[in-house]
Amino acid sequence: MSSIKKIWKFLSSMRFAILLLVILAGACSAASFITQGQSYTWYAQHYSERTAALILALHLDDAFHSWWFLLIALFLCLNLLFCNIIRFPQIRQRVKAQSSPPKNSTAAFSAQDITDPDAVFQHLHMSPSRGSDENGCEVLYASKNSIGLWGAWVCHLGILFLIAGFSLGQITQQQASVYGIAGQTKPVGDTGLILTIDDFRIGLREDDTVEQYTADLTVGDPAKGTVQSATVSVNHPATLLGWKFYQNSTGWAEQITVTENGEPLQAELLCAGEYLRISDKPDLVIYFNAFYPDYVFVPGSGPKTVSGHLNNPATLYTVYYQDQILGMNVLIGEEELTIDEYTVIFSEPRNYTLIQAKKDSFTWLAFLGGFVTVIGLLLAFYVQPAKVWAIKEGSGSWAVHGSAKSGILFQEKFLAAARAGGAGKEINHAAD
Amino acid sequence: MLQIENTLSTIVMLLYFAAMILYFLFIAFKRDSFSRVAILLQIIGFVLHTIALICRGIGAGRLPLTNQYEFATSFAWGLCLVSLIFVLRFHFPVLGAFAAPLVFVIIGYAAMQSKEVHELMPALRSNWLGFHVSTAIIAYGSFGVSFVLSIIFLLRDRMKEKGFLDQHIPNREKLDVISYRSVSLGLLFLTFTIVTGAIWAERAWGSYWSWDPKETWSLVTWLVYAAYLHLRLRRGWQGKSAAIFAVVGFVCVMFTYLGVNTFLPGIHSYA
């Protein structure tokens, strides 16, 4: 056998498929225990320096996008593809053989001395055709659920679609995030689109829990002069100008005003998690950590909010000077923060929304793959092919034979059918 | 409604416990009458369990599938359903004897969880919730049954009393096929779970696959059972080896269900 043939045979073999499935399962489970996307310092702090170096060397910090993970996935695709190419003519031949008179068919079970072969087929809900076998003997034969033979093949095809859709989506997809408060207009990353948040509402239930986050959006493409509007909420994205927009998350924003010796210096709208650099003293930075609408301090736990209502608003901030922390504290109500000649005021708290924009042209292929995989599994597991044939013997009685994918379970039905047909002898199992 | 559910849950637990004891007596004293009563009690328990879940659904104003208590009691319901189907379909009361303790342990775990009804967070307010979680319940129930069948398979050869066993436990070949049937049912429903979860995630989070620990472990479970199905086709791997693999598969199921929530929090942390 040539080397190419050997490689082809190995790549398309079930042994290789099992090996890949086990390796993939092991790789996924190992990667799930390692926090993904962290730095060397983070891993060194949480594990050890040696482990951190190992994690980075093996690309375990981004395992699902690492070269070795992609290589396993590639081999799995090749295995599925080659397997399906090899099996296509074989299955087609088997399906054809299922509905043809038995020639060299291997019986999994047989019964002799059948007096009424029609009763056997009737019992099995099969309609027999008449023909003759290779020896010219009269034969009755029937098959059912031949389409079930395609089950595994269709399932493999579905998985190929799924992997292809996912991979192409990962390579080609574009996404961007925009956050802001109602009334703001911002560019959508570098997509060339402009997004206006017309309104943002938080639907609260009577018990103060959040029922829904809803944003009214208008998206424009200045280059083409097109504009589209829609309302998005969690679980209800909208497609605007070919992009899909999602209501992703929310948080608090506040107006931050800085005065220098009582004179206005700068004013900006800041979302929690953002910072403000003092314009005429860039080394001085005010970081907006968090906002608590109904503030309480729980000893041992820290600052908390007891409701979403503005009953006792408070702002947690950190002051940095030349990248060193000068201080961290909470401003309650209208308290002001004074740093030398500067006075900082946080005011007008309101909710901002985070809108995610995404364009993935291959999601449909991945979902089609999922659908085809399910169809394939249904065919493989629940459309069980079976073939039964009866050969007239010299004595005038019939010998009935059968083969089925479900094996012993069909054998039991076959046994009952053979008895209904007047079987004189016990069933013979081919393996016995 | 929630009060009715509470009362029914207690009765269901007692019925499952009584069924488990009767199954044990059936094996200990080798009397079929015990198994018949055990199956009857399990069926009554299952019917009341179904009513309890409906009551909770009405009381909560939503599908009762969203927190640890609700999923645990539904998991026990799914396992009870699939085991009853297999017990009755294959006239196999010994399966019930091995499945009943598992059902009882899971419903006992459910009883230890908070039964408080919480309103759903926006991400969970989706019609896909019903498809996604209910298919997971059937999948987990089926894998539970395959686990029990594999344990029976592995214990079968070690049991001394052959007469009783020959009468009440299918032969090795049939046990293997029944186990394959339960795995195939589980894998089909797990595939449904993953696909419906992906469609839902795409709508809720804008990404149908994020390698979240729950997603990753569902995939690991899927891969392990896929490997099991392929191994069965190889000569020499049917029977004992396949049974061991099915046990490993169920360990993955339990880790996906409990281990991930405990050790690997992610965006599925409420599940």
Side-chain angles (χ1 to χ4, degrees):
Chain A
M1 193 186 287
S2 70
S3 302
I4 294 173
K5 266 191 175 177
K6 274 183 188 170
I7 293 169
W8 168 268
K9 201 177 172 189
F10 178 71
L11 285 177
S12 60
S13 70
M14 192 186 290
R15 196 171 51 169
F16 187 49
I18 293 165
L19 188 70
L20 287 170
L21 290 171
V22 172
I23 291 174
L24 204 55
C28 289
S29 54
S32 72
F33 284 100
I34 299 165
T35 309
Q36 299 288 291
Q38 300 298 324
S39 63
Y40 172 82
T41 319
W42 191 94
Y43 292 119
Q45 276 174 353
H46 287 78
Y47 307 111
S48 69
E49 286 190 3
R50 185 182 274 185
T51 312
L54 191 69
I55 286 171
L56 293 188
L58 296 174
H59 298 280
L60 287 168
D61 58 318
D62 191 17
F64 302 113
H65 301 100
S66 64
W67 64 267
W68 53 264
F69 192 84
L70 296 178
L71 192 68
I72 300 170
L74 177 71
F75 275 128
L76 188 66
C77 287
L78 288 176
N79 179 260
L80 289 166
L81 185 68
F82 293 167
C83 173
N84 265 17
I85 289 170
I86 288 173
R87 290 185 67 190
F88 184 80
Q90 293 172 353
I91 296 170
R92 212 167 56 165
Q93 206 172 359
R94 279 177 66 193
V95 170
K96 206 175 164 189
Q98 279 281 104
S99 52
S100 311
K103 280 179 185 165
N104 304 320
S105 295
T106 313
F109 20 83
S110 306
Q112 312 296 327
D113 299 335
I114 301 288
T115 51
D116 185 2
D118 288 321
V120 176
F121 288 101
Q122 208 175 350
H123 201 273
L124 294 168
H125 306 292
M126 294 168 115
S127 308
S129 304
R130 278 180 195 279
S132 56
D133 68 2
E134 59 266 39
N135 303 317
C137 296
E138 190 181 350
V139 171
L140 293 174
Y141 62 95
S143 65
K144 64 176 182 182
N145 299 337
S146 300
I147 196 170
L149 290 168
W150 287 104
W153 194 90
V154 172
C155 178
H156 288 173
L157 188 70
I159 295 168
L160 270 174
F161 284 168
L162 212 155
I163 297 175
F166 182 72
S167 307
L168 290 169
Q170 292 284 302
I171 295 164
T172 61
Q173 76 176 8
Q174 295 169 269
Q175 48 186 336
S177 296
V178 180
Y179 58 88
I181 59 166
Q184 280 191 314
T185 298
K186 289 187 170 183
V188 184
D190 53 3
T191 63
L193 301 176
I194 301 292
L195 172 77
T196 303
I197 301 163
D198 299 316
D199 194 14
F200 176 59
R201 303 175 294 280
I202 299 180
L204 294 174
R205 300 186 186 94
E206 283 180 7
D207 64 355
D208 212 25
T209 55
V210 176
E211 188 172 22
Q212 187 56 281
Y213 301 102
T214 308
D216 297 332
L217 308 176
T218 299
V219 178
D221 186 342
K224 292 179 184 167
T226 47
V227 174
Q228 279 187 346
S229 297
T231 299
V232 295
S233 56
V234 180
N235 276 312
H236 301 95
T239 303
L240 299 166
L241 302 180
W243 284 73
K244 215 163 179 179
F245 287 84
Y246 299 84
Q247 170 56 50
N248 191 295
S249 82
T250 182
W252 285 95
E254 282 192 273
Q255 186 70 25
I256 181 166
T257 310
V258 184
T259 56
E260 186 178 7
N261 297 318
E263 294 296 316
L265 180 67
Q266 66 190 113
E268 264 183 46
L269 184 80
L270 227 58
C271 295
E274 288 185 319
Y275 62 83
L276 177 88
R277 201 174 282 279
I278 303 297
S279 57
D280 64 351
K281 202 173 198 177
D283 284 344
L284 186 62
V285 170
I286 316 293
Y287 181 73
F288 177 17
N289 294 73
F291 176 76
Y292 305 95
D294 201 352
Y295 171 77
V296 287
F297 185 83
V298 183
S301 176
K304 276 191 174 2
T305 189
V306 288
S307 78
H309 299 287
L310 294 165
N311 294 332
N312 185 29
T315 303
L316 178 67
Y317 68 89
T318 309
V319 180
Y320 290 87
Y321 184 69
Q322 291 182 340
D323 296 332
Q324 300 293 315
I325 294 178
L326 278 188
M328 185 180 190
N329 211 338
V330 173
L331 295 170
I332 298 173
E334 293 173 357
E335 278 184 326
E336 295 176 353
L337 165 65
T338 305
I339 315 157
D340 299 333
E341 67 271 34
Y342 302 102
T343 303
V344 182
I345 301 168
F346 287 87
S347 61
E348 298 175 53
R350 70 206 102 156
N351 287 107
Y352 73 83
T353 176
L354 178 67
I355 302 293
Q356 191 190 345
K358 194 178 167 192
K359 199 174 197 176
D360 183 345
S361 309
F362 294 96
T363 300
W364 66 271
L365 185 58
F367 286 167
L368 175 70
F371 177 73
V372 173
T373 304
V374 168
I375 297 293
L377 289 176
L378 269 169
L379 287 175
F381 296 148
Y382 292 99
V383 184
Q384 299 277 323
K387 185 173 183 179
V388 174
W389 64 99
I391 302 172
K392 195 169 187 180
E393 294 180 321
S395 57
S397 65
W398 295 73
V400 186
H401 309 279
S403 66
K405 194 184 168 192
S406 55
I408 195 166
L409 297 181
F410 185 77
Q411 190 188 356
E412 286 177 359
K413 289 180 192 165
F414 182 85
L415 175 69
R419 287 199 176 123
K425 290 180 187 174
E426 267 304 309
I427 308 298
N428 299 317
H429 193 285
D432 292 341
Chain B
M1 273 296 169
L2 293 173
Q3 188 54 46
I4 297 171
E5 186 250 347
N6 218 10
T7 312
L8 282 175
S9 295
T10 310
I11 297 169
V12 167
M13 220 167 132
L14 290 172
L15 282 168
Y16 285 162
F17 181 71
M20 183 179 75
I21 297 297
L22 283 163
Y23 274 127
F24 288 164
L25 292 175
F26 154 65
I27 289 184
F29 295 103
K30 303 176 185 60
R31 280 176 58 183
D32 286 338
S33 55
F34 283 126
S35 74
R36 281 195 289 271
V37 181
I39 292 171
L40 183 67
L41 287 184
Q42 209 180 345
I43 291 171
I44 296 169
F46 175 76
V47 171
L48 294 180
H49 199 165
T50 310
I51 296 169
L53 287 172
I54 292 168
C55 286
R56 185 167 179 94
I58 294 169
R62 55 171 170 74
L63 284 172
L65 301 168
T66 58
N67 57 31
Q68 280 287 357
Y69 165 71
E70 290 171 352
F71 190 81
T73 189
S74 301
F75 181 8
W77 180 88
L79 180 59
C80 190
L81 171 69
V82 179
S83 67
L84 273 174
I85 289 171
F86 276 72
V87 165
L88 297 173
R89 162 79 176 78
F90 297 106
H91 312 291
F92 190 7
V94 175
L95 168 64
F98 280 77
L102 196 56
V103 172
F104 185 70
V105 165
I106 296 168
I107 203 158
Y109 170 75
M112 288 189 286
Q113 305 301 310
S114 167
K115 286 189 176 181
E116 217 173 311
V117 173
H118 292 287
E119 293 289 355
L120 294 184
M121 62 169 82
L124 291 178
R125 294 179 67 239
S126 166
N127 292 333
W128 288 104
L129 170 78
F131 294 109
H132 179 58
V133 185
S134 58
T135 49
I137 286 161
I138 301 297
Y140 283 20
S142 306
F143 290 139
V145 168
S146 76
F147 165 74
V148 167
L149 284 162
S150 302
I151 296 290
I152 295 172
F153 188 97
L154 295 171
L155 289 176
R156 195 181 197 284
D157 295 338
R158 292 167 179 263
M159 292 176 181
K160 289 173 185 169
E161 185 59 61
K162 291 292 178 192
F164 175 76
L165 286 180
D166 287 342
Q167 206 181 337
H168 291 92
I169 300 181
N171 59 34
R172 288 167 59 94
E173 190 186 356
K174 193 170 176 183
L175 259 182
D176 183 57
V177 171
I178 299 172
S179 179
Y180 160 75
R181 276 298 178 97
S182 61
V183 168
S184 53
L185 181 68
L187 194 76
L188 176 68
F189 274 86
L190 181 62
T191 311
F192 268 123
T193 306
I194 294 172
V195 170
T196 53
I199 295 170
W200 182 14
E202 199 275 332
R203 292 188 70 79
W205 300 324
S207 170
Y208 58 86
W209 193 265
S210 318
W211 296 108
D212 166 72
K214 202 82 162 181
E215 291 174 353
T216 306
W217 273 90
S218 296
L219 178 65
V220 169
T221 306
W222 195 95
L223 292 168
V224 168
Y225 281 111
Y228 161 92
L229 291 175
H230 285 83
L231 278 171
R232 277 191 81 259
L233 298 174
R234 285 185 68 81
R235 214 172 280 168
W237 273 89
Q238 279 171 322
K240 194 175 173 183
S241 308
I244 292 169
F245 225 85
V247 171
V248 173
F250 191 65
V251 171
C252 290
V253 169
M254 292 311 287
F255 189 82
T256 308
Y257 170 43
L258 292 173
V260 169
N261 291 355
T262 312
F263 304 112
L264 307 169
I267 46 179
H268 269 90
S269 293
Y270 43 78

